[in-house]
C-alpha cells in the first residue's frame, strides 16, 4: 500500500541538510579514477556490494585498463576476475559489449550524455546517472533500492518505478543538488534506514519523517542497529 506524499520542498530541504551534517563524507563508494572505471564498476555493482566490487576492480583494471583492452579480453579470464560480484556471465556480456561499442562508436571514450550511455549494453538510466553525476559532474538522480526506499518513507514520492521516483524527487530540489542528495540519502539507507528494522530511534531526521516508528524507536536499541555497509 502506497504511503501518501506529504512532503514539502521545505521539509525535503531540511532533511537533506540534516543528512549532510550526519554524513559529511557521503560520496560514491565505488573506487574509480576515470569515467571508464566508474562505468565498469557500476555495472559490476548490480546485485552486489560496493565493497565487493572494490576488491575486484584493482586486478580487473590492472589487466584491462581501458575500453580497448577490455573489448579484447579473454572471456574466461574476465569471468574469473569478476566472479565474486555475482551474475558474472551476464556482466561479462555487458562489459565486453559496452567496451566494443565505446571503441566502435565513441572513439574509445565513455560518452557524456544520458541518451548515449543508455545505448551501451548493460547500462540503464541508474548506471548512466551514476556516471554522469560522479565522473562528469552532470546533474542526475540515481534511484537505487536504498534511494527508493528512503524517499518513500520520507514522503517525497509514492512511486514504485525508478523513472517516476527520479522525476518526483527531482522536483523537490534544484538540479545542482541532485548528485550530493543521492549520496546523502543512499548513505542513510545503508547505515540507518534499513529495509528491515530501520534505526528510527537513532535517526537524525526522525522528527521530519512520516514513517517514524516502522523500526526500533528506543534510542539505545536503535543505536545498535546503525552499521556500516556489509562487504
Amino acid at each position: 500500500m502506497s504511503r501518501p506524499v506529504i512532503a514539502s520542498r521545505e521539509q525535503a530541504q531540511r532533511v537533506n541538510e540534516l543528512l549532510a551534517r550526519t554524513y559529511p563524507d557521503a560520496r560514491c563508494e565505488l573506487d574509480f579514477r576515470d569515467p571508464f572505471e566508474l562505468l565498469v564498476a557500476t555495472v559490476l555493482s548490480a546485485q552486489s556490494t560496493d565493497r565487493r566490487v572494490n576488491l575486484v576492480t584493482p586486478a580487473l583494471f590492472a589487466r584491462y585498463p581501458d575500453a580497448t583492452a577490455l573489448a579484447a579480453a579473454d572471456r574466461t579470464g574476465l569471468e574469473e576476475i569478476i566472479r565474486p560480484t555475482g551474475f558474472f556471465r551476464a556482466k561479462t556480456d555487458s562489459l565486453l559489449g559496452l567496451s566494443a561499442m565505446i571503441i566502435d562508436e565513441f572513439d574509445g571514450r565513455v560518452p557524456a550524455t544520458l541518451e548515449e550511455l543508455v545505448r551501451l549494453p548493460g547500462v540503464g538510466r541508474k548506471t548512466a546517472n551514476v556516471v554522469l553525476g560522479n565522473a562528469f559532474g552532470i546533474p542526475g538522480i540515481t534511484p537505487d533500492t536504498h534511494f527508493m526506499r528512503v524517499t518513500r518513507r520520507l514522503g517525497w514520492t509514492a512511486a514504485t518505478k525508478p523513472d517516476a521516483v527520479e522525476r518526483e524527487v527531482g522536483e523537490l530540489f534544484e538540479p545542482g543538488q541532485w548528485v550530493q542528495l543521492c549520496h546523502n540519502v543512499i548513505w542513510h539507507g545503508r547505515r540507518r534506514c534499513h529495509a528491515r528494522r530501520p534505526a528510527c530511534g537513532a535517526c537524525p531526521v526522525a522528527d521530519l519523517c512520516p514513517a517514524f516508528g516502522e523500526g526500533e524507536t528506543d534510542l539505545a536499541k536503535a543505536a545498535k542497529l546503525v552499521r556500516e555497509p556489509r562487504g
Side-chain angles (χ1 to χ4, degrees):
M1 188 172 181
S2 296
R3 184 181 295 109
V5 179
I6 63 172
S8 64
R9 287 179 63 92
E10 290 73 21
Q11 181 259 23
Q13 293 290 339
R14 180 58 178 158
V15 166
N16 190 36
E17 291 172 3
L18 290 170
L19 292 181
R21 293 180 190 174
T22 305
Y23 311 109
D25 298 321
R27 64 191 186 284
C28 176
E29 294 186 89
L30 291 168
D31 295 335
F32 69 97
R33 293 172 296 187
D34 55 45
F36 178 72
E37 288 192 357
L38 179 57
L39 174 62
V40 169
T42 306
V43 170
L44 292 177
S45 71
Q47 304 299 314
S48 187
T49 66
D50 289 356
R51 284 188 177 182
R52 189 165 296 135
V53 172
N54 289 340
L55 291 174
V56 166
T57 49
L60 177 66
F61 295 137
R63 184 175 296 186
Y64 311 113
D66 53 33
T68 300
L70 190 54
D74 170 71
R75 183 182 185 92
T76 301
L78 178 56
E79 287 183 351
E80 191 61 30
I81 293 174
I82 69 171
R83 182 186 294 268
T85 68
F87 300 94
F88 62 93
R89 293 189 179 89
K91 290 177 180 179
T92 295
D93 289 339
S94 296
L95 295 185
L96 293 174
L98 70 83
S99 297
M101 191 170 180
I102 288 172
I103 296 301
D104 294 341
E105 300 192 25
F106 300 106
D107 297 321
R109 296 184 178 181
V110 175
T113 70
L114 180 66
E115 294 74 19
E116 291 173 323
L117 280 167
V118 297
R119 290 177 53 209
L120 298 174
V123 178
R125 286 184 65 94
K126 182 177 75 173
T127 295
N129 278 331
V130 170
V131 175
L132 290 173
N134 294 282
F136 295 111
I138 298 173
I141 287 178
T142 307
D144 75 348
T145 55
H146 302 289
F147 189 88
M148 293 180 66
R149 178 179 69 255
V150 174
T151 54
R152 282 173 58 81
R153 284 176 173 167
L154 289 168
W156 294 357
T157 180
T160 57
K161 295 184 178 180
D163 56 344
V165 172
E166 185 179 337
R167 181 179 64 255
E168 292 179 6
V169 175
E171 292 175 353
L172 296 171
F173 299 89
E174 296 299 321
Q177 296 178 283
W178 289 351
V179 175
Q180 189 58 49
L181 167 73
C182 290
H183 295 324
N184 297 342
V185 170
I186 291 170
W187 274 50
H188 186 55
R190 287 175 171 171
R191 289 158 175 80
R192 283 180 168 82
C193 197
H194 314 302
R196 297 181 181 180
R197 295 192 71 196
C200 291
C203 176
V205 299
D207 292 342
L208 297 168
C209 181
F212 177 78
E214 286 191 9
E216 179 58 63
T217 58
D218 179 81
L219 175 58
K221 293 180 180 179
K224 295 179 181 179
L225 299 175
V226 178
R227 62 175 184 265
E228 288 296 306
R230 291 174 294 178

